[in-house]
Every structure is written in structure tokens, then in C-alpha cells.
Amino acid sequence: MDKIRLGMVGGGKDAFIGGVHRIAARIDGEFDLVAGALSSTPEKSRDSGQALGLAADRCYGSYEDMAEAEANRPDGIQAVAIVTPNHMHAGPAMAFLKRGIHVICDKPLTATMDQAEELAKAVHDAKALFILTHNYTGYPMIRQARAMIAAGDLGDLRIVQVEYPQDWLTEAVEQSGGNKQAEWRTDPERSGAGGCIGDIGTHAHNLACFVSGLKVESLAADLQSFVPGRRVDDNAHMLLRFIGGARGMLWSSQVAPGNENALRLRVYGEKGGLEWAQEDPNYLWFTPFGHPKRLLTRGGSGAQDTANAVTRTPGGHPEGYLEGFANIYAGAASAIRAAQAGESPDLSLLPGIDAGIDGMRFIAAAIRSSQDNAAWVTL
């Protein structure tokens, strides 16, 4: 089959996540990057595109020019990856959806709830697909955990605990002028009102819900901006109440020295518990109540079909962040090919607009709660 022609908005020089998306899109050979509006300035966009080997006439100065031109080309892009700061998600997504071009968008959904609702309407009205890259849902042992819970291996769920601490914003690096990633992530005009909770708290919230199959009904949040002068939160503690009665805790922080990317999940039910850590992602601990703890490994004995389907190398050969991200792109490719064939795509394991709206409601509820002295707030 021909590769899916892919464009990219954002992800030019000095960007982090754009390179990750490009690697993820290449791993399974499903996509071919052929066009881009890679920066907010035409000159930088052109230089970035040519450095990636794009044709000069497909290095666009704006996403508007790119959407219009590519929609009118017989060999125009079929999908676009949006890897910009949060405030620049909605505009490009709507521009491409309107022209029937599938959208693969980085998280969180947008910077504001108004933008999110406008984008949700555009997705509803569009014939093209919208996929949100909550990449941790692509890890094989996360798919395994989700399947085990859905099969009842833990019984009725009681407790969900998730944490995502980092330490890279322990100092006011955004004030130095030399860290582009820190600058936009701590600028509420670009990141949105949520800092840490928008950047990594939404990952923690999404992962807890994806694996457990539960939705958060209400939360009580205590948000802090520990670094002097920082305009968004850099630490968050939350209590969670899930629909159905389960309870949870969520901690996200970017000022916790000694933590690089320590996303961890624990789920406990009446019959047993599961534990998983992103920095050691090939292993899942399962403890049936009253029995010894069991180690389930990616590609090993006990791995289920849903995990094996997104496993590339034999057990003992580590897979991680890039492969998990690639599993989102592989799922997107399958869905796009189904849509192109006039079939109903399988979106059951792909985060989309609903997950994006849930994430935005999570951010808004956490901010409201914290402003009201950590009062309980319904999502």
C-alpha cells in the first residue's frame, strides 16, 4: 500500500515533540512526511522544512496557506500532525478538518475550554478523523492492564492512584531566555491556565481513566506555583471520586528533584491489584488477593493479545517511549485506511475528541477547586 501522505504544523527547529512525532510516524513505515508549516515565521518554516528534506514549494509560511494549497493538490496530504503549543491546536485542526484532512493532534486538546468546544463541533461536523496523542495509552503493558481490568481480573475497582512527577522546572528556567520548552509551557497565553496539570497532569488523568475504564465524577485539588514569579501551577495534589464509587489520588509535579519522567499507576479492586511504572514500562505487577505478586512482562508468558498486537521485539529487548508513541500512529494509520476504504474505523483504543474534552474539563475543575480552597468540584 502507498504510504499515507502526512503534513506537520509546528515541530521546527528547537522544538522537542515534533521530532518525536516524526520518529513515531516512521517506525512502521505507514506515513511519508511531505509538507509542513513548521514554524510561526515563514523563513524559519522554510529552513526547518528543507532541513527535513521537504520540497521547497511544500514548506509553508502558515498553516492556512498549507491547508488551502494541500487540499487543492492531487497529491496533497491525507493527514496532518499538529505539534504546536496548546493555544495553536484548535485553529489548524479546524482548518484541516474542514478540508477533509485527518488530524493527529498533540495533547492537551487546546488552551481554553472555548477553543475545545469549538473544535469539538468541528470534529463532529467533519468527515475526517481526529486523534489525540495521549501516547502512554500505546504501551503494550498498559493495553494489558486495561484488558485485565475489563475482564474482571481485579473485580470491582476500589482505588486508583496515579502520579507523574518531574524535576526539570525546579528552578525558574523559563526566565533565562534559553529554554523554549519551559518558556511556552509556563506562559498561560500559550499553555492555557493549567501549567503542570495541563502538561503532565492530563496524561496522568487520561491514563488512569483509560486503564480503569472509569470516569472522574468530581475532584478536590490543591495547586501550587512554588517557583517565585511562575504564572502557572508547577505542582498539584488531588483527590478523585470516580463514577461508580471508586476513589483515587493524583499527584503531578515538575518541581520534584530526583524525578525525570516518573509516571506511575496503581489500580486496586476487590480481587487484586496492578502496578505499572513508565520508566520501567515492559513490566506489569499483578497481585491476586491472597497470592504472591506476579511479574507480567511485555512479550512474555501471560501477555495477552491486546499487548502482543503492539509489541515489536521479543521479550527482554526493551521497548518504550518511541514505540508506544508509534503505536498511536500505527492505530491512526489503520483507522485512516479504513475510512479511506469506506469502512468504519476501529477507534476503541485511540484517544480522540472525547478524551480531549475530558482532559479540558479536568484542568478547569482542578483550577476551580484550588481557587476555592480545594473544595470538591464536579467535572
Side-chain angles (χ1 to χ4, degrees):
M1 293 183 289
D2 292 337
K3 293 183 180 181
I4 296 167
R5 298 185 297 275
L6 180 69
M8 181 168 283
V9 177
K13 291 182 178 179
D14 302 322
F16 157 66
I17 202 65
V20 173
H21 277 256
R22 289 190 289 270
I23 293 170
R26 289 199 304 268
I27 283 180
D28 293 302
E30 293 278 8
F31 294 89
D32 186 18
L33 182 67
V34 297
L38 301 171
S39 178
S40 57
T41 65
E43 181 179 357
K44 190 174 180 180
S45 179
R46 182 184 64 249
D47 291 345
S48 296
Q50 291 180 346
L52 293 173
L54 301 183
D57 66 339
R58 300 184 85 170
C59 299
Y60 298 95
S62 70
Y63 74 81
E64 294 95 340
D65 291 345
M66 178 177 164
E68 185 67 26
E70 290 294 320
N72 289 316
R73 291 180 65 116
D75 61 347
I77 61 171
Q78 298 158 304
V80 63
I82 298 174
V83 296
T84 58
N86 305 343
H87 73 299
M88 286 298 296
H89 287 178
M94 291 188 290
F96 288 96
L97 286 170
K98 183 172 68 174
R99 291 169 172 84
I101 295 170
H102 305 289
V103 172
I104 302 168
C105 184
D106 207 30
K107 47 53 60 187
L109 185 62
T110 55
T112 69
M113 185 57 72
D114 286 344
Q115 291 176 342
E117 291 172 351
E118 189 177 3
L119 177 53
K121 184 179 185 306
V123 172
H124 181 269
D125 294 341
K127 295 181 179 180
L129 302 176
F130 179 87
I131 295 157
L132 195 68
T133 55
H134 272 298
N135 57 292
Y136 298 111
T137 64
Y139 281 66
M141 300 316 287
I142 285 296
R143 301 279 178 93
Q144 169 96 10
R146 174 185 167 99
M148 291 175 67
I149 290 172
D153 290 358
L154 271 60
D156 289 339
L157 298 186
R158 294 171 172 172
I159 302 165
V160 181
Q161 296 182 328
V162 62
E163 61 185 58
Y164 199 161
Q166 300 172 335
D167 65 4
W168 72 291
L169 292 178
T170 296
E171 297 179 327
V173 292
E174 69 269 25
Q175 298 175 22
S176 69
N179 191 317
K180 179 179 177 181
Q181 300 304 314
E183 288 172 13
W184 79 256
R185 282 178 167 83
T186 57
D187 176 6
E189 297 300 318
R190 289 181 282 176
S191 68
C196 173
I197 57 167
D199 191 20
I200 59 175
T202 50
H203 269 313
H205 165 259
N206 174 263
L207 190 70
C209 296
F210 178 83
V211 171
S212 69
L214 303 176
K215 293 191 69 170
V216 175
E217 182 176 52
S218 58
L219 58 79
D222 185 19
L223 311 184
Q224 298 80 38
S225 299
F226 279 119
V227 174
R230 184 161 288 161
R231 295 187 289 162
V232 295
D233 61 278
D234 51 26
N235 187 81
H237 291 90
M238 299 185 204
L239 296 177
L240 309 174
R241 292 173 178 165
F242 292 91
I243 295 172
R247 296 294 189 263
M249 294 189 296
L250 184 151
W251 171 45
S252 64
S253 181
Q254 293 172 316
V255 294
N259 289 281
E260 294 177 325
N261 206 63
L263 175 60
R264 302 181 185 96
L265 177 68
R266 296 174 290 277
V267 184
Y268 304 103
E270 60 179 345
K271 294 167 55 178
L274 291 171
E275 302 175 41
W276 178 84
Q278 193 277 151
E279 292 182 336
D280 203 8
N282 293 280
Y283 303 107
L284 177 68
W285 288 100
F286 172 46
T287 307
F289 179 65
H291 296 272
K293 183 176 288 190
R294 302 173 184 175
L295 179 62
L296 304 177
T297 63
R298 183 200 53 77
S301 177
Q304 297 185 5
D305 290 346
T306 188
N308 291 331
V310 288
T311 292
R312 293 176 173 77
T313 57
H317 296 75
E319 292 184 2
Y321 181 73
L322 294 174
E323 292 88 353
F325 220 118
N327 288 333
I328 301 298
Y329 267 87
S334 295
I336 289 169
R337 293 194 189 282
Q340 290 172 337
E343 303 168 357
S344 296
D346 181 5
L347 303 173
S348 60
L349 293 174
L350 287 175
I353 192 63
D354 291 340
I357 291 292
D358 285 347
M360 295 302 296
R361 289 174 178 159
F362 162 79
I363 295 170
I367 293 172
R368 291 200 313 272
S369 172
S370 189
Q371 290 173 343
D372 194 18
N373 197 31
W376 284 97
V377 170
T378 301
L379 268 66

